[in-house]
Structure formats: structure tokens, C-alpha cells
Amino acid sequence: MAQMMKRRRILQVAAGLPAAIALRAQNPYAAATSGKPDELPKLEAIPPDGVADAQRKFCTGIQLAALKRLCDMVLPRIGETPGAAEAQAAEFLDFILSESPTDRQTLYRTGLDALNTQARAKQGKSFAEVDAATAAEILAPLGKPWTYKDPAEPLTKFLRTAKADILTATVNSREWIQVVSQRNRNAAGTSIFWTEIA
Amino acid sequence: MPSPLHDVVIIGSGASGAMTAYQLTKKGINCLLLEAGPNFDYTKDRQIRAVYDLPYRGFGKPGRFPHVTQANEFTAALWADEKQNPYTFDPKDPYYWVRIRRMGGKTLVWGRASWRLSDYEFKAKDHDGYGDNWPVSYAEMAPYYDQCEPLLRVSGRIEKLPQLPDGVFLEDKSGDSTSIARFISAAKQKGIPTTKQRRAQGTLASSANLLLPDALATGKLTILPNAIAREVTVDKATGKANGISFVDRRSRREFHVRARVVVLGASCLETTRLLLNSKLANSSGVLGHYLFDQFYVKNTVQAIVPEAKNGRAPGGLMGGTGYIPRFTNLGLLGKAKPDKDYLRGYAVDFSSGGTPDPKYFPHYGEDLQKALAAHTNTGFNATTMGSVLPRFENHVSIDPVVKDAWGIPALRISARYSENEFKMATDAMNTLAELCHAAGFEMLGQHDQMVPPGESIHELGTCRMGDNPKTSVLNKWNQTHDVKNVFVVDGSSFVVGGSQNPTLTITALAMRAADYMAEEMREGSL
């Protein structure tokens, strides 16, 4: 997906080039710059997620594969609305987990390992590789009613935590907001940011 | 050449410090106000940003604010950093101390709820026999509430409830949505009163825009940011305070300012820490004791309005908010027989609208998205705010080891809820669930788990008032019994807090203390 987005962006940039070059050729000053020398620039820029591959920081390869599968199951693409995969939620959570307190890291490590352990026990494959029915069977704890207190069972606790994190990582992503904010202005994802104290 | 002698030096630019400055400067008294944090420029220091443009996608840097649940990545710069500003507690009894060190203090982001206390709080001991009364009555406080509400632009509705005295409001003439009206009707049938919220209005309702500009305009106020108070200094010959020593936040240079009167409005626990570190005003031995706040049970109930499901809400069904004031253990003031198995009572904020959090739906994938879509703008929730009994054993002291980034000894906090609060929280949950059912709402979840002490950011009581210097730190004018030219104007002066948010009362007390100070200074008594 990231590769497709990178290619699309390169094509978008290339398509605008010939007209700009032709205009600049008529005037040497314009050829020097198409900017406005008396205006302060505000350049559009993007975060790295859409154009670069995040380096794995926390999960092992098999843990990250399980997390990606979990992300895709918790929030799949639905119609035109991007899902957790397009938002690279798993890669983002891998990063944030690398900086998280130990108890959070342990919850995820043991939770992802438990997904793989159960998958192997049921089908002899990792969680990323089992069929949809088996994967759904493993996620059955997510069907339990909500309680305020954390569930005693570690896998259920992990799945509830991961569900919330995956949803947040997705709906706060540029990929999700750009699509959904077209339909709903409240989904613009903007707020007042306070700058750090010097 | 020595620095100038100021009439008054005030510590803190939040609700209490700024109100004191406002009132004193109006009377022509020169004030120097020290703020531990920086000054700021709203046009430069705040900007609109997209959540995806933040380094942590809105999650915030993990572990940065383990005890500030209010912090998010947008507001992270507001809250006092716990590494620079550490405090300690027994891990079995965590305390969430939430601080802001910027001009305006916590009024930059307060919830704006502005309720008066009544004699059910000021004279609580007379009513139920527990603890102590305030040394002031509602009648003495009312004229100051009357002046503070217009300053804060408080909207509200006149209700004539004895436990929630009316004020000088911007009249709230708004109607109620059908769902709110149903909840109010269900409450009324159980004899539970409701009213509109009472909140400060305006784009910003902070001491930084409502109080300090007018005080500066008098020409009598000087504001010094980045000044972290280290100690109240005392003239050994007279026993009176003669100023404040402080450290510059950025350079760490040490300074001292001289003043005839010292006013502490640094917030309940910072003021207490300053007095403890100064070894002042504690002949009673109660300085730092009787720490209490209000407990919160956030989203005690989460329900949905069934008629609103699948986008079928008729116009006017959803939206709006309301408030249940304390309604338990009231009876006739002074003669009540408790009607519950706990003392005092709780208040409730309730609101209609919005989509319930995904955690309430036992689904994932497309099923979850369908459930969320079906429940868009169907939500009804209520949060409980309960009174916490002031108890001697809940206290703060100076940690013998830990110091902050400026070398100032840190606070150690020991606080836990009592059985009274646990029983009250459970009663609130059951009552609210019953009201939701009676209103025809479907319950998604209910609980009675109080947030840890401190999280409501309503810490109170550690420099309590009283007529007896042996059992209190301050007299009825917020003046320390021990050192007559030291005043404490923040929430630490509270004797009883009730279930009402304390800020309005803090401003009224500060204004009243300032009037007293001004008169004493005019007479030469200070």
C-alpha cells in the first residue's frame, strides 16, 4: 500500500511539470522562481507514514504480522473508508510501543504471542496465516460485554486495549481523516495545539 | 541598593492569586505577582494543528504524564512535567496531582463550573455532626459571590434550591431536548432536583483575560513570570514575613523580593509545600493535613436513547446538558436525620448526544462500524462528583529525599478514600441507572469506580481555616494565625468542600481576603 501511494504521488508531481516550465521560459525572473518574494511561504507538507516505510522497533517479525492481522480484523477497509492497514496502524503502534512503559509492552508482547500460540494450537500456523474462521474464533473474547474493571484473563485485556489503540491509531491517521472529513467536517481531526515551554 | 519594598507580593496567577491582585490594585495597593511558569502570547503559543501532524498521532509521548489523565498531545505543553516537578506517594495509594505552570494557571483550561456553597457546607458540622464548620457563613460569603459571578460571566438559572444558592447570573433561557426532559422528569418523580449548568462564559474564561488585564491597567500591578517561589522569608526580629526568595525558572538564578504582606495563591498543594519548606504557620500541627477533594466517577452511566438509533432521532430529541445538585442527607438544616448510609452527598453532570465509545460495543470489524453508525448521536451519560470527608490522616509532608529541578524539596502525598465515599459512589451508580431506566433509555454500561484522589483537580483543605489557632492554620480572613502578614487565598483554606466545583468559592474568598487586607493595611495593622 505504501509503495502504491509513493508511486501515485510521484505521478502527481510529474503531471504538473511541463506547463510550469513553459511559463517560466517567457520571463527570466519568473524562470528563477515562481514564488512571491514579498510573501512569507506556507508550504504544504506531509507526515512520513504515507511515503516512507517505518522501521520495526518493538515487535518481532511474527508479532508484527499478528498485529497487522489483528488491525485488519478490528478495523478493515469498508467501502471508500480506509482501514487500519491503509493507516499503517500496526507499524505506528509498533513504534509507540517501543517508547511505552514496561507494563504496556508486556501486555502487547504476551498478547501477540498468545494469538500466535492459539493459532498454532488450532491450525498449526501463525495468527497471520490462519483462516478467517479460526482467527475469528481466537478473537471471541472481544464479544464479551464491557466491564469497567480490566478483565482478569490476559488475552481479553490485551484485545480490549489493542481494539482501542487500533481505532485511535486509524482515525487519527492522515489517510482516514482525509477521506472521512470529506463527508463529515467534525472528523477533521484538528484542535488547538499548545507549543512547548522554552 | 536593595530592591523596592512592595506593598504585597502574591504567589500564583490563577484564580486566587489573580483575584487578590485584581481587588488590591483597585484599591491602590502596589502588588508584585510571581508566576512560576512563563508568560505567553495567545497568537504565538497556540495554533490549530491536525492530529496526524503530531509525532504521536494524538496518543502523546508514552509515559510523559502518568498521573495527568487530562493531558493529550495537543495540550501536553500545558501540564507541569513530573520529571521536573516530582512528588511522591505510597504506590498502594496513588495520588494524581495535576498542575499547570503558566500565566493564568489552571484557569486556562478549567471546566468553568461555578457553583456556590451553602450552609450545608459552611455549617456542615452543625448539620450532621461530622468534622468542623467553616468560621464563615453563607451570609458572609454571599456579597462576594455576587461580585465574582459577573466578573466570571456565569450563566445559570434561578432555582431557589437551599443547597445550591442562586447567583447573579447571565440568565440561561435555553430549553431542554426531549431526552433531557425525560431524564429530568424521571428525576423529579423521585424527588431529585435538576438545574441548568452554571458556567463561566466567553472564548476564554481565565484569570489571564478576566482579571489580570484590569489589574495591570491600574498601574499598580507588576507581573514577574518564571519565578519559582522557594521560601517565605521572615524577619527574625519581628517574626513577620519580609518577602519571598525565588529561583528563576530558566537561568536558575536566585532572587529575593521584599514585601509588607505575602499572599500565597499557588494552588492548594504548592502553597502548602511552600509553607512547609518555609517552616511557617504550623504551630497547630495541622498544616498539610485534612487533604480532600471531590471524587469523580466518570461516565457513571452510559446509556442510549433508543428512538435515536439508526439516524431516526426526531428533531429536538437529542442534545443538551444538565446538573443534579446534592439531594441526599439534606432535611432541615441543622436537624436532619441521615437518609442514606453515608454522610453528605453527590452531584451529577449529565448530557445527551454524541456516539458512545466503541468500548461499550462487544464487536469488532464491520460489525463494530455498523454498531457505531447505528448509535451515532444516541448517547446519554452522567458523571458523579461526590463530596469527600476531610480527614486528618489524609495529608502531605515534605519528602526527605526528592527535590524538584530547582532543588526545592518535593511533596509526599498520603491520601485515600474512606468507606463514606465508596458507599456514596455505589449509591450514585444505582440511582443514575434507575433514572435512566425510568427515562426509557437503554443501558450500555454502569460503574462506581472513583478516579484516584487528586484527579478531579479540586484538592482542598491543607491550610484549613478556623477560629481556634490550635486546630487550624488560617483565621476567617485567610490570614495565618501564626504570621499576621501571610495570607493563603487558594483552595487550601477550605474546611468542607461539598460536591460543588470549588473555583467560584476560591475567587470569592480571595476577594474577601483582599478587602480585609486592604483595610488592615489602611489602618496600619499590617
Side-chain angles (χ1 to χ4, degrees), chain A residues 19-32:
Chain A
I21 290 168
L23 279 173
R24 288 180 196 179
Q26 295 167 12
N27 180 328
Y29 283 87

PDB file of all heavy atoms in Angstrom, chain A residues 19-32:
ATOM      1  N   ALA A  19       3.757  22.413 -17.949  1.00  0.00           N
ATOM      2  CA  ALA A  19       3.129  23.727 -18.023  1.00  0.00           C
ATOM      3  C   ALA A  19       3.945  24.760 -17.264  1.00  0.00           C
ATOM      4  O   ALA A  19       4.163  25.877 -17.724  1.00  0.00           O
ATOM      5  CB  ALA A  19       1.711  23.651 -17.483  1.00  0.00           C
ATOM      6  N   ALA A  20       4.422  24.404 -16.132  1.00  0.00           N
ATOM      7  CA  ALA A  20       5.203  25.332 -15.314  1.00  0.00           C
ATOM      8  C   ALA A  20       6.499  25.722 -16.016  1.00  0.00           C
ATOM      9  O   ALA A  20       6.881  26.892 -16.039  1.00  0.00           O
ATOM     10  CB  ALA A  20       5.513  24.682 -13.968  1.00  0.00           C
ATOM     11  N   ILE A  21       7.141  24.758 -16.636  1.00  0.00           N
ATOM     12  CA  ILE A  21       8.406  25.042 -17.335  1.00  0.00           C
ATOM     13  C   ILE A  21       8.159  26.002 -18.492  1.00  0.00           C
ATOM     14  O   ILE A  21       8.897  26.965 -18.701  1.00  0.00           O
ATOM     15  CB  ILE A  21       9.046  23.733 -17.825  1.00  0.00           C
ATOM     16  CG1 ILE A  21       9.542  22.940 -16.605  1.00  0.00           C
ATOM     17  CG2 ILE A  21      10.185  23.990 -18.791  1.00  0.00           C
ATOM     18  CD1 ILE A  21       9.926  21.508 -16.916  1.00  0.00           C
ATOM     19  N   ALA A  22       7.081  25.822 -19.234  1.00  0.00           N
ATOM     20  CA  ALA A  22       6.768  26.668 -20.385  1.00  0.00           C
ATOM     21  C   ALA A  22       6.535  28.111 -19.944  1.00  0.00           C
ATOM     22  O   ALA A  22       7.019  29.056 -20.555  1.00  0.00           O
ATOM     23  CB  ALA A  22       5.533  26.118 -21.102  1.00  0.00           C
ATOM     24  N   LEU A  23       5.820  28.328 -18.891  1.00  0.00           N
ATOM     25  CA  LEU A  23       5.535  29.673 -18.407  1.00  0.00           C
ATOM     26  C   LEU A  23       6.815  30.392 -17.981  1.00  0.00           C
ATOM     27  O   LEU A  23       7.025  31.561 -18.296  1.00  0.00           O
ATOM     28  CB  LEU A  23       4.584  29.600 -17.207  1.00  0.00           C
ATOM     29  CG  LEU A  23       3.105  29.433 -17.543  1.00  0.00           C
ATOM     30  CD1 LEU A  23       2.310  29.208 -16.256  1.00  0.00           C
ATOM     31  CD2 LEU A  23       2.587  30.668 -18.279  1.00  0.00           C
ATOM     32  N   ARG A  24       7.658  29.693 -17.290  1.00  0.00           N
ATOM     33  CA  ARG A  24       8.885  30.310 -16.779  1.00  0.00           C
ATOM     34  C   ARG A  24       9.826  30.712 -17.904  1.00  0.00           C
ATOM     35  O   ARG A  24      10.589  31.671 -17.776  1.00  0.00           O
ATOM     36  CB  ARG A  24       9.596  29.348 -15.832  1.00  0.00           C
ATOM     37  CG  ARG A  24       8.861  29.213 -14.530  1.00  0.00           C
ATOM     38  CD  ARG A  24       9.591  28.261 -13.618  1.00  0.00           C
ATOM     39  NE  ARG A  24       8.721  27.841 -12.528  1.00  0.00           N
ATOM     40  CZ  ARG A  24       9.075  27.001 -11.606  1.00  0.00           C
ATOM     41  NH1 ARG A  24      10.260  26.449 -11.627  1.00  0.00           N
ATOM     42  NH2 ARG A  24       8.249  26.675 -10.649  1.00  0.00           N
ATOM     43  N   ALA A  25       9.779  30.014 -19.017  1.00  0.00           N
ATOM     44  CA  ALA A  25      10.695  30.304 -20.125  1.00  0.00           C
ATOM     45  C   ALA A  25      10.464  31.693 -20.717  1.00  0.00           C
ATOM     46  O   ALA A  25      11.356  32.270 -21.318  1.00  0.00           O
ATOM     47  CB  ALA A  25      10.535  29.234 -21.199  1.00  0.00           C
ATOM     48  N   GLN A  26       9.273  32.266 -20.547  1.00  0.00           N
ATOM     49  CA  GLN A  26       8.969  33.562 -21.150  1.00  0.00           C
ATOM     50  C   GLN A  26       9.606  34.723 -20.394  1.00  0.00           C
ATOM     51  O   GLN A  26       9.701  35.825 -20.911  1.00  0.00           O
ATOM     52  CB  GLN A  26       7.446  33.760 -21.176  1.00  0.00           C
ATOM     53  CG  GLN A  26       6.751  32.752 -22.072  1.00  0.00           C
ATOM     54  CD  GLN A  26       5.251  32.738 -21.841  1.00  0.00           C
ATOM     55  OE1 GLN A  26       4.708  33.612 -21.184  1.00  0.00           O
ATOM     56  NE2 GLN A  26       4.587  31.734 -22.395  1.00  0.00           N
ATOM     57  N   ASN A  27       9.984  34.573 -19.159  1.00  0.00           N
ATOM     58  CA  ASN A  27      10.479  35.668 -18.336  1.00  0.00           C
ATOM     59  C   ASN A  27      11.616  35.163 -17.457  1.00  0.00           C
ATOM     60  O   ASN A  27      11.428  34.257 -16.668  1.00  0.00           O
ATOM     61  CB  ASN A  27       9.315  36.174 -17.462  1.00  0.00           C
ATOM     62  CG  ASN A  27       9.731  37.322 -16.555  1.00  0.00           C
ATOM     63  OD1 ASN A  27      10.872  37.401 -16.102  1.00  0.00           O
ATOM     64  ND2 ASN A  27       8.807  38.224 -16.313  1.00  0.00           N
ATOM     65  N   PRO A  28      12.805  35.776 -17.599  1.00  0.00           N
ATOM     66  CA  PRO A  28      13.944  35.245 -16.834  1.00  0.00           C
ATOM     67  C   PRO A  28      13.747  35.319 -15.326  1.00  0.00           C
ATOM     68  O   PRO A  28      14.249  34.504 -14.579  1.00  0.00           O
ATOM     69  CB  PRO A  28      15.111  36.124 -17.283  1.00  0.00           C
ATOM     70  CG  PRO A  28      14.497  37.329 -17.897  1.00  0.00           C
ATOM     71  CD  PRO A  28      13.175  36.907 -18.445  1.00  0.00           C
ATOM     72  N   TYR A  29      13.012  36.362 -14.848  1.00  0.00           N
ATOM     73  CA  TYR A  29      12.792  36.454 -13.398  1.00  0.00           C
ATOM     74  C   TYR A  29      11.851  35.348 -12.939  1.00  0.00           C
ATOM     75  O   TYR A  29      12.050  34.723 -11.907  1.00  0.00           O
ATOM     76  CB  TYR A  29      12.217  37.832 -13.024  1.00  0.00           C
ATOM     77  CG  TYR A  29      13.281  38.896 -13.040  1.00  0.00           C
ATOM     78  CD1 TYR A  29      13.585  39.573 -14.206  1.00  0.00           C
ATOM     79  CD2 TYR A  29      14.002  39.180 -11.879  1.00  0.00           C
ATOM     80  CE1 TYR A  29      14.561  40.529 -14.232  1.00  0.00           C
ATOM     81  CE2 TYR A  29      14.987  40.137 -11.889  1.00  0.00           C
ATOM     82  CZ  TYR A  29      15.276  40.813 -13.077  1.00  0.00           C
ATOM     83  OH  TYR A  29      16.259  41.741 -13.083  1.00  0.00           O
ATOM     84  N   ALA A  30      10.811  35.124 -13.757  1.00  0.00           N
ATOM     85  CA  ALA A  30       9.883  34.042 -13.405  1.00  0.00           C
ATOM     86  C   ALA A  30      10.567  32.691 -13.472  1.00  0.00           C
ATOM     87  O   ALA A  30      10.257  31.782 -12.729  1.00  0.00           O
ATOM     88  CB  ALA A  30       8.681  34.060 -14.338  1.00  0.00           C
ATOM     89  N   ALA A  31      11.525  32.619 -14.435  1.00  0.00           N
ATOM     90  CA  ALA A  31      12.243  31.346 -14.548  1.00  0.00           C
ATOM     91  C   ALA A  31      13.055  31.053 -13.292  1.00  0.00           C
ATOM     92  O   ALA A  31      13.280  29.904 -12.919  1.00  0.00           O
ATOM     93  CB  ALA A  31      13.165  31.381 -15.772  1.00  0.00           C
ATOM     94  N   ALA A  32      13.506  32.160 -12.646  1.00  0.00           N
ATOM     95  CA  ALA A  32      14.312  31.969 -11.434  1.00  0.00           C
ATOM     96  C   ALA A  32      13.481  31.379 -10.306  1.00  0.00           C
ATOM     97  O   ALA A  32      13.937  30.523  -9.566  1.00  0.00           O
ATOM     98  CB  ALA A  32      14.921  33.299 -10.998  1.00  0.00           C
TER      99      ALA A  32
END
